[in-house]
């Protein structure tokens, strides 16, 4: 009986660990190439605003963070930096700076969902047509699947 219980526990642990590693590594393995240096340089020339992702935000932690310079232009939002890898990241524009999961959930209805983030070292996400970046002041990265705050940067 003890042997069966031990086998059950070890197999269950292995299954859970394998699933967790898959959730973490799959987005990394399937991520497209990061934007080219030309895209990043063009973003620097056309940026209207800029901000910074920092690791020290209230709800950022060892698994949910971003760091680097965020460039907001008339046609796209670009990160020159890195994000902690994860699944189903979305980019939002917010009229209010947020740095916690609770604040994001409370204010989400007033935010503009910009698009999907597929790369974790540098990204370029096109803005939907008609987006007025002056109506917002913060860029937020959110994981939809797990309802996790990743990072945010005030750009004005």
């Amino acid at each position: 009986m003890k042997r069966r219980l031990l086998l059950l526990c070890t197999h269950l642990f292995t299954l859970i660990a394998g699933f967790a590693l898959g959730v973490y590594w799959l987005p990394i393995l399937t991520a497209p190439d990061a934007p080219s240096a030309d895209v990043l340089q063009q973003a620097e020339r056309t940026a209207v605003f800029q901000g910074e992702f920092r690791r020290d935000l209230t709800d950022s932690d060892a698994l949910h963070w971003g760091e680097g310079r965020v460039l907001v232009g008339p046609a796209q939002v670009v990160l020159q930096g890195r994000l902690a890898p994860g699944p189903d990241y979305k980019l939002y524009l917010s009229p209010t700076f947020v740095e916690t999961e609770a604040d994001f959930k409370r204010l989400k209805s007033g935010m503009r969902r910009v698009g999907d983030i597929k790369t974790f070292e540098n990204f370029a996400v096109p803005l939907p047509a008609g987006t007025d970046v002056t109506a917002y002041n913060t860029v937020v990265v959110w994981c939809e699947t797990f309802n996790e705050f990743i990072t945010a940067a005030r750009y004005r």
Side-chain angles (χ1 to χ4, degrees):
M1 182 66 174
K2 285 183 181 183
R3 180 179 168 103
R4 283 187 179 178
L5 184 59
L6 178 62
L7 285 174
L8 178 66
C9 288
T10 58
H11 283 76
L12 189 58
F13 173 79
T14 303
L15 179 67
I16 291 169
F19 177 77
L21 286 171
V23 167
Y24 181 79
W25 281 103
L26 186 61
I28 297 169
L29 296 173
T30 61
D33 292 335
S36 68
D38 291 340
V39 170
L40 299 177
Q41 289 172 354
Q42 177 66 19
E44 281 193 59
R45 289 192 294 274
T46 61
V48 180
F49 302 106
Q50 65 178 325
E52 184 177 347
F53 285 151
R54 300 182 340 260
R55 286 185 180 232
D56 63 349
L57 299 179
T58 302
D59 273 4
S60 293
D61 58 35
L63 296 176
H64 310 101
W65 54 267
E67 63 183 3
R69 189 163 66 143
V70 178
L71 304 168
V72 180
Q76 65 183 350
V77 176
V78 172
L79 169 66
Q80 295 175 333
R82 299 181 313 153
L83 296 173
D88 202 21
Y89 284 2
K90 306 297 181 200
L91 186 71
Y92 286 84
L93 296 179
S94 172
T96 306
F97 181 72
V98 297
E99 63 178 313
T100 67
E101 195 172 294
D103 286 344
F104 180 88
K105 288 177 180 179
R106 183 174 49 83
L107 299 168
K108 185 176 182 180
S109 64
M111 295 181 189
R112 171 76 182 227
R113 183 170 159 180
V114 175
D116 298 338
I117 298 172
K118 300 287 187 185
T119 59
F120 308 108
E121 185 162 343
N122 303 326
F123 66 65
V125 179
L127 290 168
T131 302
D132 177 12
V133 295
T134 63
Y136 307 95
N137 70 10
T138 300
V139 174
V140 182
V141 177
W142 177 256
C143 177
E144 290 289 340
T145 299
F146 295 107
N147 286 320
E148 285 288 338
F149 174 84
I150 306 303
T151 191
R154 185 180 316 229
Y155 63 82
R156 60 176 207 97

